[in-house]
């Protein structure tokens, strides 16, 4: 599809949907959904915190202009239609009429401009980078928002999901210190559910927002998020029906299997397409022997990813083949494959002159175990055992969350494991790990391994501003080939978190953001 | 004449006592500050990291907002200044006043731990005394084995086993939580509901303390019963019940009170595991989360409150000593 066709298709999609959203007949009103939030979010305002639990819960309270389907194509959110100028620089959004905040005040294009340009650029790291590309944002009338970009940015339409660009009320935040505003406690958004009560350490209680602009929605009366810190207790809550929905890592991987067969429960791994959590073994490219491409390739050969999926993740993952997840756009599977082979690995190590010493060891490497639970500890032990076959001795170093963040952010590590979201487009979620301009000391989730390749930089840059889909695919295919050859990090698995829910509830997973969705359309049969 | 003099003496005593208290709290606050900061890890990075994409400006803003960009000594001075005015500050992570956070959680923890503590003390000392009096019998042996087992059982395991038996298998008790969420109840129903939720966490938490007090009481009773004044009392022909209650228990309780007084201070923080297993919305979990997040103001606030509680409990222990044994006094009085 070229640029013009793409624009036309977008317009058509925008025009068709308003008819779609009034479809409501046959769905029952009422009912309570009990679910889990874990760990407890620090705050519910998604503009100020983007931790996964904050987004899951805050997604019911705060909305953005667009939603994204499982295919990651945009769908109407607060905006009913949108238009892109042929030069790819002007984006015009038309809002639905009659949208109100939870305090009853109307939501207009002024709130959108204020949220995107004033609040999010101050408080939201990802949105800050996205909206830095905007030259001007205007609100010509209450239902129209116009963004003018400094230069074309292909995934700009992908920056308006409720986790990346939540809309907050201007009348509450204007002229205040955003993060310290006392109204943060009330969490005033436009979503189908509003905050009734938050008993810290116990539960968060959401109730219907009666003035919701989508006719008849929400169907449910209430959603109760329970805070249950212990994994065994969470599984028990799902088993005995105390809760009817779990998401992300609420249920430990080793427990997931037994819920697949429980008759009253539905199981799906859909709804994570937008985030597409991608996992890898991170190697500090600045330090020997990790600074040699052949060593990193040898590491790829040493990880039996099938076994890792089966033994450590209990089958809740897919094998990753490169930097882009097979679940998102522009994935190219036709890249060099590193099959599990100790011989190939030892050959590479011999070739680079890393010979075994007197004790049979070729190298001793410190591995910083990410403090995110038992499964990461066991993955570390798996790597340790795998590498020992080629004479590489991995020393596992334990740390806590803050210590891990500081060490990795400041490049003070040799190897560790990392998990990153792909955010629907390589320009948003993939490039950041590999481009030289994102080598920033002290910043976590940047190019912390220190990989730098001018050609890769150029390809990512061109692909970000190219408006033609075919051209973008070509550029991303090329970049995938180079990265897979260079192995800046050793990709292991595409994690497949489950969503498990009571069959009585319908429409739980309807978009590519799954459990972060508003749940306005969820009903109980 | 003597009246004014003794009033002056009491005033001086109070002033000395308060001054000493303030000094102790300042020393504790300094110590806490240094300890908390000794761990590596930057709260700004933890917070920004959670967003899945950090940004230098946001990191700088966060550090500036919380004064983390200033030298340690300046931060310490401002911390001590706040302690003196009893201002506990503002949580980095939750963006709410620390005092609110603590006051929200404290009641649930106190309810859980004080109940467990009193229960453990009451049952533990009674059982220990009975075993001590019947030292060497089968009952005593049985008791010793049981209390050892109880003492050696990990508290989370005990909690999970209780859940397995009473919630999963029998379905009698709610497996977690503080009360039934989202239920419309009268206040009496609510009290009963909370009581029902308390049974298992209290049992698990009490089990270990119970074993400690029981073993202590048992050995203490055995020791006391061999002392001369007991022989004298027997020789005088006192009734056995009076010997046990008036002479033996009173003296045997002293070491138990000492240990209990020390442990009472640890109770508030010591419930982390139980609070996690039973999803109990208490202070222990707040502490644990604050450590992981490097939420310094929350941590320091909790430590300060706990130190004050410990000081208060020491005072109470002193008073109890005097009730049990009027000969005991401290030089301050």
């Amino acid at each position: 599809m070229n640029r013009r066709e793409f624009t036309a298709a977008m317009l058509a999609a925008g025009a068709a949907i308003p008819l779609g959203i009034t479809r409501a007949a046959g769905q029952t009103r009422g009912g309570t959904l009990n679910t889990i939030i874990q760990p407890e979010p620090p705050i519910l305002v998604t503009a100020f915190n983007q931790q996964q639990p904050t987004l899951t819960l805050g997604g019911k309270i705060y909305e953005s202009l667009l939603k994204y389907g499982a295919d990651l194509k945009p769908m109407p959110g607060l905006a009913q239609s949108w238009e892109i100028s042929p030069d790819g620089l002007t984006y015009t959004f038309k809002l639905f009429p009659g949208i109100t905040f939870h305090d009853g005040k109307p939501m207009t294009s002024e709130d959108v401009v204020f949220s995107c340009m004033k609040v999010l650029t101050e408080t939201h790291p990802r949105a800050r980078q996205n909206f830095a590309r905007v030259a001007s944002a205007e609100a010509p009338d209450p239902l129209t928002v116009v963004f003018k970009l400094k230069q074309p940015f292909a995934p700009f339409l992908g920056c308006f999901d409720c986790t990346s660009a939540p809309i907050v009320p201007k009348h509450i935040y204007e002229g205040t210190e955003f993060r310290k505003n006392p109204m943060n406690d009330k969490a005033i958004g436009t979503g189908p559910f509003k905050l009734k009560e938050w008993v810290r350490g116990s539960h968060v209680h959401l109730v219907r927002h009666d003035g919701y602009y989508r006719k008849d929605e929400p169907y449910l009366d209430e959603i109760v998020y329970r805070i249950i810190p212990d994994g065994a207790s969470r599984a028990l809550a799902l088993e005995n029906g105390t809760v009817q929905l779990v998401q992300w890592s609420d249920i430990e991987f080793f427990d997931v299997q037994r819920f697949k067969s429980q008759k009253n429960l539905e199981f799906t791994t859909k709804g994570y397409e937008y985030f597409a959590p991608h996992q890898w073994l991170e190697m500090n490219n600045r330090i020997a022997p990790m600074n040699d491409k052949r060593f990193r390739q040898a590491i790829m050969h040493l990880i039996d990813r099938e076994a890792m999926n089966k033994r450590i993740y209990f089958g809740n993952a897919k094998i990753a083949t490169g930097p882009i997840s097979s679940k998102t756009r522009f994935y190219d599977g036709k890249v060099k494959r590193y099959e599990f082979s100790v011989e190939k690995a030892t050959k590479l190590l011999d070739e680079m002159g890393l010979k075994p010493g007197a004790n049979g060891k070729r190298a001793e490497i410190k591995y910083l175990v990410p403090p995110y639970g038992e499964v990461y500890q066991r993955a570390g032990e798996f790597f340790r055992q795998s590498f020992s076959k080629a004479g590489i001795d991995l020393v596992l170093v334990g740390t806590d969350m803050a210590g891990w963040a500081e060490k990795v952010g400041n490049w003070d590590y040799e190897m560790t494991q990392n998990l990153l979201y792909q955010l629907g487009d390589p320009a948003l979620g993939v490039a950041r790990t590999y481009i030289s301009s994102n080598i920033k000391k002290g910043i976590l989730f940047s190019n912390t391994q220190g990989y730098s390749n001018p050609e890769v930089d150029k390809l990512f840059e061109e692909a970000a501003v190219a408006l033609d889909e075919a051209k973008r695919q070509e550029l991303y295919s090329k970049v995938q080939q180079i990265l897979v050859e260079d192995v800046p990090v050793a990709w292991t698995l595409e994690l497949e978190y489950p969503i498990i829910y009571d069959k009585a509830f319908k429409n739980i997973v309807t978009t590519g953001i799954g459990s972060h969705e508003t749940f306005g359309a969820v009903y109980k049969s | 004449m003597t009246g004014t003099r003794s009033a002056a003496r009491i005033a001086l005593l109070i002033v000395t006592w308060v001054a000493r208290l303030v000094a102790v709290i300042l020393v504790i606050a300094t110590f806490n500050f240094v300890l908390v900061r000794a761990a590596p890890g930057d709260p700004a990075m933890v917070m920004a990291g959670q967003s899945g994409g950090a940004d230098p400006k946001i990191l700088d803003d966060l550090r500036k907002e919380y004064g983390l960009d200033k030298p340690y000594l300046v931060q310490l001075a401002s911390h001590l200044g706040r302690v003196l005015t009893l201002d506990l500050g503002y949580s980095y992570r939750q963006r709410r006043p620390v005092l609110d956070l603590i006051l929200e959680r404290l009641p649930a923890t106190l309810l859980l731990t004080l109940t467990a503590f009193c229960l453990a003390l009451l049952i533990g000392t009674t059982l220990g005394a009975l075993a001590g009096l019947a030292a060497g019998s089968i009952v005593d042996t049985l008791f010793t084995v049981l209390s050892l087992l109880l003492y050696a059982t990990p508290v989370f395991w005990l909690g999970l086993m209780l859940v397995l038996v009473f919630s999963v298998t029998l379905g009698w008790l709610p497996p977690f939580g503080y009360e039934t969420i989202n239920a419309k109840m009268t206040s009496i129903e609510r009290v009963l509901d909370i009581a029902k939720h308390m049974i298992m966490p209290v049992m698990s938490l009490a089990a270990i303390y119970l074993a400690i007090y029981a073993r202590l009481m048992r050995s203490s009773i055995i020791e006391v019963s061999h002392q001369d004044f007991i022989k004298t009392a027997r020789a005088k022909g006192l009734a056995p019940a009076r010997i046990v209650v008036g002479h033996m228990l009173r003296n045997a309780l002293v070491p138990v009170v000492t240990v209990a007084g020390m442990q009472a201070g640890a109770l508030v923080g010591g419930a982390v595991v139980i609070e996690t297993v039973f999803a109990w919305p208490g202070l222990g979990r707040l502490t644990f989360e604050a450590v992981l997040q490097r939420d310094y103001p929350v941590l320091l606030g909790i430590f300060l409150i706990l130190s004050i509680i410990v000081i208060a409990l020491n005072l109470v222990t002193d008073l109890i000593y005097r009730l049990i044994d009027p000969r005991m006094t401290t030089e301050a009085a």
Side-chain angles (χ1 to χ4, degrees), chain A residues 85-194:
Chain A
S85 67
D87 59 4
L89 287 176
T90 309
Y91 287 71
T92 308
F93 293 91
K94 288 278 178 203
L95 304 179
F96 277 109
I99 305 175
T100 56
F101 283 110
H102 295 157
D103 61 358
K105 301 254 168 58
M107 199 255 358
T108 70
S109 49
E110 291 281 346
D111 294 289
V112 177
V113 171
F114 175 75
S115 300
C116 295
M117 304 313 291
K118 289 271 157 51
V119 179
L120 295 172
T121 47
E122 183 75 36
T123 59
H124 190 307
R126 281 196 280 121
R128 185 180 146 68
Q129 283 159 21
N130 295 339
F131 291 111
R133 298 174 184 268
V134 174
S136 75
E138 273 154 34
D141 68 66
L143 295 183
T144 310
V145 188
V146 183
F147 289 100
K148 287 206 169 68
L149 303 190
K150 293 171 186 158
Q151 66 179 97
F153 183 52
F156 190 65
L157 217 46
C159 302
F160 292 95
D161 76 293
C162 67
T163 71
S164 307
I167 304 304
V168 298
K170 183 179 177 180
H171 62 269
I172 287 178
Y173 287 100
E174 192 170 37
T176 66
E177 246 188 286
F178 304 142
R179 292 193 188 93
K180 285 190 175 169
N181 193 310
M183 287 299 281
N184 290 344
D185 260 3
K186 303 265 188 298
I188 304 286
T190 60
F193 295 95
K194 58 182 181 183

Side-chain angles (χ1 to χ4, degrees), chain A residues 40 42 50 125 128 179 200-201 203 205 222 226-227 229-230 233 236-237 400 402 405-406 432 442-445, chain B residues 41-42 45 49-55 57-59 93 95-96 104-105 168 176 181-182 276-277 285 294:
Chain A
E40 183 171 19
Q50 290 82 44
R128 185 180 146 68
R179 292 193 188 93
R200 290 199 168 53
H203 64 276
H205 188 173
E222 323 169 277
R226 288 158 184 273
I227 297 142
D230 182 59
S233 306
L236 180 67
D400 73 339
E406 177 153 303
R432 55 180 170 165
I443 310 288
L444 201 59
F445 303 125
Chain B
D42 172 359
M45 187 110 88
Q50 288 167 343
S51 315
D55 181 280
K57 181 185 180 292
I58 286 171
L59 279 181
R93 184 168 172 266
R95 305 196 173 277
R96 300 180 67 226
E104 267 169 15
R105 301 291 190 99
V168 179
F176 44 70
I181 294 168
N182 207 8
T276 303
V277 170
R285 261 166 63 203
R294 297 289 188 273

